[in-house]
Every structure is written in structure tokens, then in C-alpha cells.
Amino acid sequence: MPPTKTVDLAAHPLTKWQGPLGLPDFASIGDGDFSAVFDAALKAHEAEIDAIAGNKDAPTIDNTLAALELAGEPLDHVSSIFWCRAGAHTNDAIQALEREISPKMSRHFSAVSMNEKLFARIDDLYQRRETLKLDAETLRVLEKTWKGFVRSGAKLDADGKKRLANISEELSSLGTTFGQNVLADERDWALFLDEADLAGLPDFVKSSMAEAAETRGQNGRYAVTLSRSIYEPFTTFSERRDLREIAFRAFTMRGQNGGASDNTSVVRDMLKLRAEKAKLLGYGSFAALKLDDTMAKTPKAVHDLLDPVWEKALEKASADQKELERLATEAGSNEKFAAWDWRFYQEKLRTEKFAFDEAELKPYLQLDRVIDACFDVATKLFGITFEEKKGIAAWHPDARTFVVKNADGSERGLFLADYFARSSKRSGAWMSALKSGYKLGNGSKPVIYNIMNFAKPPAGEAALLSVDEAKTLFHEFGHALHGMLTDVTWPSVAGTSVSRDFVELPSQLYEHWLTVPAVLEKHALHVKTGKPMPKALLDKMLAARTFGAGFATVEFTASALIDMAYHARSDAPAEPLEFEAETLEKLHMPDTIAMRHRTPHFGHVFSGDGYSAGYYSYMWSEVLDADAFAAFEETGDPFNPALAERLRKNIYAAGGSKDPEELYTAFRGKMPSPEAMMVKRGLV
């Protein structure tokens, strides 16, 4: 055995951040550094936990709860860099480390959660909580901490604790495998085409495909990849039905192609372990366990939202399909209408109904202009500003760094953004933090980042976005604002540390400002002429906002219903993919629409635990966001200062410091009903 590497956590660049602006010095970090630093940081955190648990003094908020919250800073630092790399810029070495570190971290945190002496101290404080004269935030943190220990097995007997720790470790490893398998399928598949195969494709699609082919060593050719930023526009515009079918089948079969990257058995094992975990902790199903700490609380409440939406969406999609079939017949198609025809004819129908298509909008949605629009809206609403700092090394040369300042010019934190797709990055878009913002102890300023997967243009050309991509940028920036505007004391309730069905409110609400006419008039400038989007085109775009609602709502809600069907059972289905098909049949899922995320590549639910039994939360939050933006519309001013201040204070800055219903009611005065969301989607 090689000797254990000695690591000085007080000086190592992974744990002592001494790069520009207080960032990690990414240039001095090698892939080979992580393993030894993780081991040292885990050991240091374990020693801190033992010291807190073994403290001879009576438990106090300071010596127990605060000490626990502030423990493990070196582990937090190395973890945040590593998981950023694992998602945004991975390689074989990082993936091997991920398979090693995931179960190790799971074992470590299981041991913390099941430390009897530590729980005894937390329990002591919890039982005395009414006599401790705590402020509301501290009381909430104490209650959440106690419940977290109990839900992690603190009250189980020795055998139960051991089994739960093993389950958590296995689930962690399986989640890592699931994500790596999907990435492998996305990375390894490409459909290479020549000029003769590009009928119907606008220049922006050809340009993205040429760049994708070039990065894969096929200069002069064009590649369809499984990145949504290429797949969706290709299947929207390509006149080659045979090629649309090939791309559709590859996209929907990610994670289910047999061989080493097939996720069928991974999902089966995960569902079985989740059901066992719920039973061990005294819950009737894994959904009951996960929903216990949310706004929805029960699977029934989730279905009360999803089921009526599903019925409306099916009606709308059925009516839309008749229109699309008419267009296909008029175009001379004798083929049975299929799933790979939907986007293509839907775009034709948009042109017919609204006299414009997606290709007309793209030149007005330059990536840099949309980024400026995100920043501009944040300045108008919340008074913060953004200043880019060039030449600062991050995890990849594409990542950009911005200093975030308060209205008085003081520094609030940092924002990093990495916008372009590449084979080393997992698909999708997300927000995370290298550091959270909080006041406890010495305090911490937030360092927040956004990851996107937009098609990279050839050198010298501007990146152009679709309306959906521009919305995604606003969405993830809304999450980033939730992290950057946080104004709480305790780390565990900072920023996005809120219930799963509340966390999407700040992000989905922020999307609304993209289509505020004043924002588009200022920032939607033509890539070549620099002129604003003509009012006629802007009006058409706004009129078409709910176009395609049937398709979009069916593909989303099907995924949410399947997620709930898997996890609301007391046991796991023997064959999940058969169960998926049977459930969709019972739901009368149209065979002309695919789930937005089929089971074998449903990363939200199986690449870790994040949105398992929680994919519904996007729609739960949408009920809130539709109602919240209506508050601004009712005033006639989308930037109403008094309302913006209430929004900042109660939604973006409050984190999880109070119950989400209390926070929303403080902003709006009442809780909403789903009607506003149905209207926003164009379903009623």
C-alpha cells in the first residue's frame, strides 16, 4: 500500500482559497489532489463532530447547534469544487473519484446523523426549546436539525442504523452510476450529416451542428447531438422525417441501450432500496418520507394539483394534434403522425397562426444581451449590480466571473457562469454554490454559479438563443439570486435551503421578466443590425406565449406522475420500465408525445436524491409564481418598488428561515389557487 499523503488543510488550494477575489486557485488544483484532501477533510470533520458530541458542558445553542453548523469548512470547500467539476467539466479521473467519494461521503454523514452522543445533545436542546427564548430563525433551525437527525435514523436501534447507513451508501453509488451512464450515452452518440441532409434547417442550427461536428473531429460536416440545444431545433426544423426519427429515438432511449451504460437495473435497485428506507423509518412509502418536509405534505395533495392539470393538458394536446395532422396531410405526408413529427408541424402551425417562426426570433436573442437583461432586471428590482472580471481562471476557460455589488457599492458576493455545452458537462441547466452566504460565526459571502448547455457558436459569431433557452437562462439566474440575496444567520437555511416545492418559486417567477415588453425593447436587439425587435414581431411573440401548451404540459406532467407513481407505492415495481409503460397506458398518454424525462435518463429523480418524489414541485411552484407575478401586473408596474422590496425580503432573502407558507403570505397577503397557473399555461 502506498503511504498516506499528508495534507495541510490550512494551506491546500482545495481548502484554503487564495485565488483572485477569494476564489479557489483553480490553476493550481490537479485531478490527483482530490482524494487525499477528501480523506483529510473527512477526518478533520469527524474530529470536530466527536469534540461537539463529547463536550462535558451542558448543551447550549453555541456549543452544540452553532458548532455543528460551522464544523467541516475544509470538507465544504473541497466538496463544492469537486461536485462542480463532476457536473460541469468531468473526465475519466473525476468520474472514478466520484464513484469512490460518493459512498465515502454517504458513510461519513450517516455516521454523523447516527452519532448517539451528538443526537442526545440536539435532543436535549429540542426538548427544552420552549424555555430557551430563541429567535424564530434559531428555533426553526433547531427543529429542522432535530427532524433531520430523526429522518436519518437517529432513533433506530443498532441493526436499523447499520442497515439504513448501508442503504444510503448503496443509493449514493447507484445515483453516481446513473448520472455517469446518461452522460456516456449523450457523449458517445452523434449523427453526422452532410450539406445535402440539412433541408429546412435555419443558419443558426447549421452553425451549431458544424461546431459540434468540428469538436468531434469531423470538419466540414454537421452533427446532431443529444444536447437539447441541438436536438430540439433539429427536430423542429429538419424536413428529413427519417433523420428526425433517428434523433428522436436516440434522445428518448438514453440510458436504455443495453451494455455498460444501461440504467434499467440501476433504477430497479434504487426503487427497491428507497422503499426499504421508507419502511425502516416508519413511512408508508418513499413519497410519504420525502413529502413530509414539503409544502404539499402528502401524495394526495400532489395528485390534487397534477390530476386536473393532466386532464386539461390531454384535451388541449388532442385538439392540437388534429391541427398538426391537418398540416401534415396538406404537406403531402401519408405517414401515420408520430412523436418525431410533433415539433416540426407545431412550428408550421405557429407560423400559420402567428405569422412568425422561432428562426425569426433567434437573431434578437443574443446570449450576451440576455445575460445583460438578467442583470438589468435584478438591478431594477433589487438594486444589485454585476461587474465582469476578465482573465480569472475557473474550472473551465468558458466560465465567467462577476462581482456582485449592493446599491451602496459594497461587495455582496460573486457570480460565476458557464454557458456552453461540451462533452465533459452533464446535460441540463442548474445553479449551485461554491459558498453559501450567512452571518453565523465569521460569516460568509455567497459564491454562486450557473451552468447551461447552449450550443457554442463558431469563433467570431454571437451565440443565439431560442425563447425557451432564454427562459432557462432567466430561470437559473432566479435560483442564483436566491443564493446571492440571502440574508440569514444560519448556514442550513441560507439561499436555496428551502422545501423542494418552494425552491422553484424564485426561479420560475424570474422568468416572467424576460417577456416584459420594456425588457425586450431594450435588450432584444438584432445580431446584425443592432435594431430592437420590431413591435409587430414582439406582439406576435407575446400573443404566442401559450402556444404549444398541450404538448409542453403533457410531456412535463407525465414525468411528474411517473415519479409519483414509482414512489407512492409501499413496495418497488419488479420491472420499472414495464411499470412506466403500464402507468402511461392507464393515464392515456398520447403515443405522439414522449415524457420530458423517461425513466432511464430521469436525472432529477435518479441521479441522486434531489427531486425524487419531487418533480411535481416545478408545477407546485408555478402556482405560486403565476400568482406572484400577477401581484406586479395588478399594480401596472412590473418593477413596482414597494412590491419588489417585499419580494426581496420575504422570498429571495429569507431562505428557509421561516415556513414557506408564512413567507409567501407575507409577500402576497394570501396563498394562491391553481387557476392563475392554468390561465398562464393557456389550459383554460
Side-chain angles (χ1 to χ4, degrees):
M1 262 181 83
T4 306
K5 221 187 255 183
T6 304
V7 173
D8 181 0
L9 293 176
H12 198 283
L14 278 168
T15 50
K16 179 71 172 174
W17 294 0
Q18 294 182 307
L21 306 176
L23 285 167
D25 182 5
F26 283 98
S28 67
I29 296 168
D31 294 349
D33 293 336
F34 285 104
S35 188
V37 175
F38 261 111
D39 285 345
L42 285 164
K43 197 172 177 183
H45 188 226
E46 189 180 327
E48 287 180 280
I49 295 299
D50 288 344
I52 299 165
N55 192 333
K56 301 298 183 194
D57 295 337
T60 65
I61 293 298
D62 283 344
N63 72 18
T64 302
L65 191 64
L68 180 61
E69 291 257 328
L70 294 172
E73 186 180 86
L75 184 57
D76 289 343
H77 282 189
V78 64
S79 295
S80 66
I81 298 172
F82 181 75
W83 296 116
C84 175
R85 278 289 312 276
H89 190 41
T90 193
N91 56 36
D92 290 344
I94 293 292
Q95 291 197 331
L97 274 168
E98 201 180 352
R99 293 190 292 273
E100 172 196 319
I101 287 164
S102 292
K104 204 180 273 189
M105 293 280 278
S106 176
R107 273 196 302 277
H108 173 76
F109 284 105
S110 286
V112 173
S113 300
M114 296 176 193
N115 184 312
E116 290 182 12
K117 288 182 178 177
L118 180 61
F119 178 62
R121 294 180 70 83
I122 295 292
D123 191 45
D124 177 276
L125 291 170
Y126 180 74
Q127 301 307 333
R128 294 189 289 119
R129 64 193 183 281
E130 301 300 339
T131 68
L132 296 175
K133 298 180 180 173
L134 304 177
D135 63 84
E137 185 184 328
T138 304
L139 177 61
R140 184 165 170 82
V141 170
L142 175 58
E143 289 175 341
K144 283 172 70 74
T145 303
W146 184 86
K147 286 177 185 172
F149 271 80
V150 172
R151 285 160 55 89
S152 298
K155 288 192 163 187
L156 295 177
D157 62 20
D159 287 345
K161 284 178 178 173
K162 186 177 178 184
R163 180 59 191 143
L164 185 62
N166 288 340
I167 288 171
S168 297
E169 187 178 329
E170 287 181 65
L171 283 170
S172 179
S173 291
L174 288 166
T176 296
T177 300
F178 184 96
Q180 291 187 358
N181 285 346
V182 177
L183 181 62
D185 278 6
E186 291 172 347
R187 180 192 63 219
D188 296 343
W189 190 91
L191 176 63
F192 293 104
L193 304 177
D194 296 308
E195 193 72 44
D197 303 316
L198 307 183
L201 297 182
D203 287 344
F204 75 86
V205 184
K206 292 181 193 175
S207 177
S208 297
M209 288 169 60
E211 176 72 13
E214 189 176 323
T215 62
R216 287 163 175 77
Q218 296 269 346
N219 284 24
R221 302 192 77 196
Y222 302 84
V224 183
T225 70
L226 300 183
S227 165
R228 279 190 191 273
S229 60
I230 288 180
Y231 163 76
E232 287 188 356
F234 178 80
T235 51
T236 298
F237 293 108
S238 174
E239 292 175 10
R240 288 283 300 276
R241 189 174 191 265
D242 57 331
L243 300 179
R244 297 201 308 267
E245 180 180 359
I246 291 168
F248 171 85
R249 292 193 184 281
F251 193 77
T252 54
M253 290 299 286
R254 289 169 296 152
Q256 195 190 347
N257 290 304
S261 64
D262 193 284
N263 273 328
T264 306
S265 63
V266 178
V267 170
R268 187 190 305 125
D269 292 346
M270 289 186 84
L271 290 173
K272 191 175 173 186
L273 288 166
R274 284 173 175 173
E276 186 185 351
K277 178 178 181 175
K279 191 174 182 182
L280 198 55
L281 290 168
Y283 289 88
S285 68
F286 187 74
L289 167 64
K290 283 298 293 286
L291 293 170
D292 189 31
D293 193 30
T294 63
M295 294 180 79
K297 301 286 189 285
T298 65
K300 181 187 180 300
V302 174
H303 278 286
D304 287 346
L305 169 67
L306 294 179
D307 293 349
V309 173
W310 179 248
E311 293 306 319
K312 294 279 187 192
L314 285 180
E315 288 172 22
K316 186 79 174 70
S318 176
D320 288 349
Q321 185 171 324
K322 289 184 176 67
E323 288 276 80
L324 303 184
E325 286 171 338
R326 170 184 64 79
L327 286 176
T329 302
E330 288 173 5
S333 172
N334 297 316
E335 307 278 356
K336 183 177 182 294
F337 190 83
W340 45 91
D341 295 319
W342 195 292
R343 289 182 190 279
F344 180 74
Y345 286 107
Q346 184 166 267
E347 192 59 29
K348 304 273 185 216
L349 185 62
R350 189 211 306 263
T351 305
E352 180 183 278
K353 282 192 166 189
F354 299 100
F356 82 98
D357 63 25
E358 188 73 57
E360 273 185 88
L361 290 175
K362 273 255 187 177
Y364 292 96
L365 296 173
Q366 298 172 62
L367 171 60
D368 281 342
R369 297 279 188 189
V370 180
I371 294 167
D372 287 345
C374 279
F375 293 168
D376 197 18
V377 170
T379 303
K380 282 193 168 74
L381 287 172
F382 307 123
I384 57 173
T385 55
F386 299 80
E387 181 187 345
E388 184 163 12
K389 298 291 185 182
K390 301 275 192 184
I392 291 176
W395 54 88
H396 186 276
D398 284 348
R400 298 164 64 178
T401 302
F402 302 85
V403 174
V404 187
K405 292 186 176 176
N406 294 308
D408 63 5
S410 61
E411 189 178 315
R412 173 149 210 98
L414 299 174
F415 172 61
L416 288 80
D418 182 356
Y419 293 110
F420 297 120
R422 53 180 172 267
S423 58
S424 66
K425 186 191 277 189
R426 71 174 165 87
S427 62
W430 65 95
M431 163 269 182
S432 194
L434 291 176
K435 266 189 189 177
S436 295
Y438 55 85
K439 297 173 195 162
L440 193 69
N442 294 324
S444 170
K445 287 181 180 173
V447 181
I448 307 298
Y449 63 89
N450 274 171
I451 308 289
M452 306 288 161
N453 267 286
F454 303 137
K456 191 169 188 176
E461 290 187 25
L464 303 178
L465 305 183
S466 67
V467 174
D468 280 349
E469 287 173 327
K471 278 185 181 171
T472 297
L473 188 65
F474 264 70
H475 178 101
E476 296 305 333
F477 191 72
H479 280 309
L481 286 172
H482 202 184
M484 288 185 282
L485 290 169
T486 190
D487 187 21
V488 301
T489 298
W490 293 84
S492 63
V493 292
T496 56
S497 298
V498 298
S499 70
R500 182 60 68 192
D501 47 14
F502 191 67
V503 78
E504 297 299 333
L505 168 61
S507 52
Q508 291 178 184
L509 174 57
Y510 206 69
E511 291 177 35
H512 289 265
W513 275 277
L514 169 65
T515 49
V516 166
V519 174
L520 286 169
E521 285 160 14
K522 180 176 178 182
H523 296 285
L525 307 179
H526 195 280
V527 65
K528 288 182 178 165
T529 66
K531 290 182 178 176
M533 187 184 289
K535 187 169 186 312
L537 182 56
L538 174 59
D539 290 344
K540 288 174 191 173
M541 186 188 109
L542 295 176
R545 268 187 293 195
T546 61
F547 178 74
F551 173 84
T553 309
V554 164
E555 67 164 10
F556 167 82
T557 313
S559 297
L561 288 167
I562 289 291
D563 171 35
M564 200 48 59
Y566 279 139
H567 293 110
R569 297 168 51 119
S570 60
D571 60 352
E575 293 298 335
L577 297 184
E578 288 177 18
F579 179 76
E580 177 192 84
E582 290 161 6
T583 305
L584 291 175
E585 193 175 341
K586 285 177 192 166
L587 288 167
H588 307 293
M589 175 78 171
D591 62 3
T592 50
I593 302 177
M595 292 166 65
R596 184 160 183 83
H597 306 285
R598 282 198 58 240
T599 298
H601 52 258
F602 202 166
H604 287 76
V605 170
F606 294 108
S607 187
D609 204 23
Y611 282 82
S612 54
Y615 194 65
Y616 78 91
S617 59
Y618 287 93
M619 188 168 282
W620 189 277
S621 292
E622 195 177 339
V623 172
L624 301 174
D625 83 63
D627 178 68
F629 193 70
F632 283 90
E633 291 179 316
E634 287 160 15
T635 71
D637 178 5
F639 299 100
N640 181 283
L643 207 50
E645 175 52 23
R646 286 218 306 273
L647 181 65
R648 184 201 63 77
K649 181 181 173 185
N650 297 296
I651 306 298
Y652 285 92
S657 60
K658 292 180 182 173
D659 179 83
E661 287 195 20
E662 186 184 338
L663 290 173
Y664 190 81
T665 305
F667 161 66
R668 188 66 163 112
K670 62 180 176 61
M671 288 298 289
S673 71
E675 272 62 47
M677 181 270 291
M678 296 263 222
V679 170
K680 173 196 157 193
R681 277 190 172 246
L683 297 176
V684 292

